[in-house]
């Protein structure tokens, strides 16, 4: 058994992995899904350029009458 403080000092990415593991269903796909989980301890990660943020896009309101 390890405390949260010691785990945070030793390997902070394990905290996220354990939290996500607890949220996943307990079946045979769990290990596969956890293997795809990538946790980066720093704020920087190699995929920062691939993230698209669109703040100026507005969803048009479509109103149609049902006839």
């Amino acid at each position: 058994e390890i405390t949260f403080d010691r785990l945070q000092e030793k390997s902070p990415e394990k905290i996220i992995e354990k939290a996500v593991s607890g949220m996943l269903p307990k079946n045979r796909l769990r290990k596969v899904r956890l293997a795809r989980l990538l946790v980066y301890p720093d704020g920087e990660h190699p995929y920062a350029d691939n993230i698209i943020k669109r703040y100026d896009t507005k969803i048009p309101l479509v109103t149609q009458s049902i006839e």
Side-chain angles (χ1 to χ4, degrees), residues 5-20:
D5 294 330
R6 286 189 58 199
L7 188 61
Q8 193 170 14
E9 291 173 5
K10 187 176 179 181
S11 58
E13 62 273 358
K14 291 285 184 187
I15 297 170
I16 301 297
E17 290 173 6
K18 286 184 177 282
V20 172

Side-chain angles (χ1 to χ4, degrees), residues 1-2 8-9 14 24-25 33 35 37 40 42 45-46 48 66:
E1 191 172 305
I2 187 166
Q8 193 170 14
E9 291 173 5
K14 291 285 184 187
L24 289 175
R33 290 177 178 168
L37 177 67
Y40 298 102
D42 301 332
H45 55 86
I66 300 173

Side-chain angles (χ1 to χ4, degrees), residues 2-61:
I2 187 166
T3 63
F4 179 79
D5 294 330
R6 286 189 58 199
L7 188 61
Q8 193 170 14
E9 291 173 5
K10 187 176 179 181
S11 58
E13 62 273 358
K14 291 285 184 187
I15 297 170
I16 301 297
E17 290 173 6
K18 286 184 177 282
V20 172
S21 174
M23 291 184 233
L24 289 175
K26 281 59 172 181
N27 58 20
R28 60 184 172 180
L29 296 176
R30 185 180 197 183
K31 288 183 182 179
V32 176
R33 290 177 178 168
L34 283 174
R36 285 189 263 156
L37 177 67
L38 301 174
V39 180
Y40 298 102
D42 301 332
E44 299 294 322
H45 55 86
Y47 305 108
D49 295 336
N50 296 341
I51 298 174
I52 299 172
K53 294 182 181 178
R54 296 181 180 159
Y55 296 113
D56 58 344
T57 306
K58 294 183 180 180
I59 300 172
L61 180 63

